[in-house]
Amino acid sequence: MATVGFIGLGNMGGPMAANLVKGGHQVTVFDLSAAALTAAAAAGCATASSASQAAEQAEFVITMLPADAHVKGVYLGEQGLINQLPENTLVIDCSTISSATAVEVGTALQQRGIEFIDAPVSGGVGGAKAGTLTFICGGSEAAVTRAQAVLQPMGKNIFRAGELGAGQIAKICNNMLLSVLMVGTSEALQLGIAHGLDAAVLSEIMSKSSGSNWTLDVYNPCPGVMDNVPSSHDYQGGFLVDLMSKDLGLAQQAALASGAATPMGALTHNLYRSWSQLGHGREDFSSIFNFVKANKK
Ligand code: NAD
């Protein structure tokens, strides 16, 4: 059993902390939201009144926060944990943030003898609840191996992509590809529908042909083709357009910094930003299907 400080109990962090408790760990949590703290207490976590208090006595500190600024604030801010954590604490940041910030925070902590890995996740809220997340880690082999004890109760697959920051790069590569597949699948389905085809029949044909891919086969964006996907539930309960848009922005930043050519990623970033600006930011990212609907002549 390990002592864990867990900070950030939103859609992802709440169920992740609950699974750590189920895994037999002693978990002390903090979130700015009182409701999130109440839910975590009901799941068996001890609650704290600050990040600093949650991290007291912890061998592992895990953060699951919205974006770069929150992670930087918690570790390097005025009351940052960098000034408090004893040497040898292992910090695991599971938020999706820029690789540059992960390297900045990780390097600063390591200079104080505090271990750090970036460990963004794939698998969404469903995976967080079921304890089947994929962790995509960046950091030393020793640190990633040490993290397994607390990652295992929350996930099914634990990968090491490379050194510090590599987890964040691998994560945005995956999400950029996912966005391209989603837009492509949506276009193909809408083209077929515009010509009178049945979306379910067309989906089956493409699924068994060379167009087969995850967004078509298990996360179909057309309402009614599959039961248990957001498209059949008003695009609720999945991965938000705004979060996809954020990840695509991170991919573009990384592309600019490295000189990588990502024309398709740039295009899907613009599509998702526009879709958000049209008021669809809180829908599942498969709702982009409606953005590419045929204009009947
Ligand atoms: P969320 O907005 O539901 O939760 C974030 C939580 O952090 C909130 O409860 C908020 O109150 C808390 N918080 C913010 N600043 C804080 C601070 N200074 N101290 C303590 N708590 C603070 O977000 P989420 O959906 O849980 O996502 C978290 C991260 O995981 C994001 O980086 C997101 O991109 C990534 N992610 C999300 C999904 C998904 O499907 N939701 C999937 C994979 C990765």
Side-chain angles (χ1 to χ4, degrees):
M1 185 195 73
T3 50
V4 184
F6 200 116
I7 300 153
L9 305 165
N11 292 323
M12 297 294 288
M16 288 166 70
N19 280 329
L20 270 175
V21 172
K22 280 189 206 147
H25 298 293
Q26 194 181 318
V27 186
T28 306
V29 296
F30 175 66
D31 193 288
L32 298 174
S33 147
L37 284 171
T38 306
C45 300
T47 57
S49 56
S50 64
S52 175
Q53 196 187 26
E56 267 172 25
Q57 320 277 334
E59 299 159 64
F60 298 88
V61 173
I62 301 178
T63 34
M64 192 50 164
L65 296 164
D68 289 46
H70 309 85
V71 175
K72 252 173 124 163
V74 164
Y75 291 110
L76 308 184
E78 242 173 68
Q79 322 226 307
L81 297 183
I82 190 167
N83 298 314
Q84 168 196 340
L85 296 176
E87 287 190 11
N88 280 329
T89 310
L90 174 56
V91 168
I92 305 171
D93 179 43
C94 296
S95 328
T96 302
I97 61 170
S98 71
S99 174
T101 296
V103 170
E104 181 187 341
V105 172
T107 306
L109 291 172
Q110 283 171 355
Q111 280 165 357
R112 301 275 183 103
I114 303 159
E115 284 193 280
F116 176 94
I117 64 169
D118 46 305
V121 304
S122 179
V125 177
K129 286 184 180 160
T132 56
L133 291 170
T134 294
F135 287 91
I136 310 169
C137 306
S140 72
E141 277 185 35
V144 174
T145 302
R146 189 179 159 203
Q148 306 254 349
V150 288
L151 297 185
Q152 261 156 6
M154 303 186 284
K156 194 168 62 170
N157 298 302
I158 302 167
F159 293 109
R160 178 176 175 269
E163 297 302 330
L164 202 57
Q168 297 292 353
I169 295 290
K171 159 83 186 173
I172 54 167
C173 288
N174 178 71
N175 278 20
M176 187 178 77
L177 174 59
L178 174 64
S179 73
V180 171
L181 292 171
M182 182 55 86
V183 174
T185 294
S186 296
E187 280 183 12
L189 287 172
Q190 290 286 18
L191 176 63
I193 292 166
H195 285 266
L197 270 64
D198 181 290
V201 173
L202 177 58
S203 293
E204 199 186 347
I205 292 168
M206 295 194 294
S207 256
K208 300 283 182 297
S209 307
S210 44
S212 166
N213 73 84
W214 187 86
T215 68
L216 178 70
D217 304 343
V218 299
Y219 209 87
N220 199 294
C222 179
V225 172
M226 290 173 180
D227 286 339
N228 291 321
V229 291
S231 61
S232 294
H233 300 278
D234 289 328
Y235 296 102
Q236 297 304 304
F239 180 50
L240 298 185
V241 164
D242 279 345
L243 285 179
M244 177 55 96
S245 191
K246 179 193 88 165
D247 291 1
L248 292 170
L250 293 173
Q252 288 308 294
Q253 271 176 35
L256 277 174
S258 61
T262 54
M264 299 295 284
L267 181 56
T268 56
H269 182 215
N270 281 324
L271 289 172
Y272 273 103
R273 283 186 65 200
S274 304
W275 193 227
S276 174
Q277 278 160 6
L278 288 168
H280 301 275
R282 306 291 301 168
E283 294 174 0
D284 178 70
F285 82 112
S286 61
S287 70
I288 201 82
F289 177 75
N290 289 324
F291 199 24
V292 292
K293 197 170 181 173
N295 234 337
K296 283 261 184 249
K297 293 219 170 99

